[in-house]
Amino acid sequence: MTVGIPGPSVDRDKGGSGHIPVMGREVMAALRLDTGMTVVDGTLGLGGHALMMGQLIGCSGRLVGIDQDESAILKAKEQLKGFPGRLDIVKSNFRRI
């Protein structure tokens, strides 16, 4: 089952960081995510795109978020509270995938 591309309702800063994902709708459309998928966000940052991915993969999906910046990870964890599916955050560099 394909779900709709998240719109302005998820293009916002849930965690209060001041960060709004760049080209969120366009990125999600290009990724063509679907319910139950496992996806990797190799540059988790503050979690804006990951939040949108969660809307698309739903509670049966899994997201692995990778970032090497501990402070960004802490902010992403706040932004991603209530993530609908399985969320694994890894402190590393995406080049190690």
Side-chain angles (χ1 to χ4, degrees):
M1 177 180 122
T2 303
V3 295
I5 304 299
S9 65
V10 294
D11 286 350
R12 68 181 187 282
D13 174 30
K14 185 174 141 194
S17 66
H19 173 72
I20 297 174
V22 176
M23 296 178 62
R25 289 184 138 213
E26 295 82 356
V27 170
M28 294 307 115
L31 291 175
R32 300 174 61 175
L33 301 178
D34 205 352
T35 303
M37 286 181 145
T38 295
V39 296
V40 175
D41 184 342
T43 55
L44 181 63
L46 303 180
H49 286 108
L51 182 62
M52 296 177 81
M53 290 177 193
Q55 296 280 326
L56 295 172
I57 64 174
C59 61
S60 61
R62 176 183 180 194
L63 183 126
V64 179
I66 302 170
D67 207 292
Q68 63 185 4
D69 181 346
E70 185 66 36
S71 65
I73 288 173
L74 292 172
K75 291 175 185 174
K77 284 181 179 179
E78 182 65 28
Q79 176 87 334
L80 297 170
K81 281 185 178 174
F83 187 85
R86 179 174 170 186
L87 174 63
D88 298 306
I89 298 178
V90 179
K91 184 180 184 298
S92 188
N93 189 292
F94 68 87
R95 71 175 177 232
R96 300 185 72 201
I97 294 176

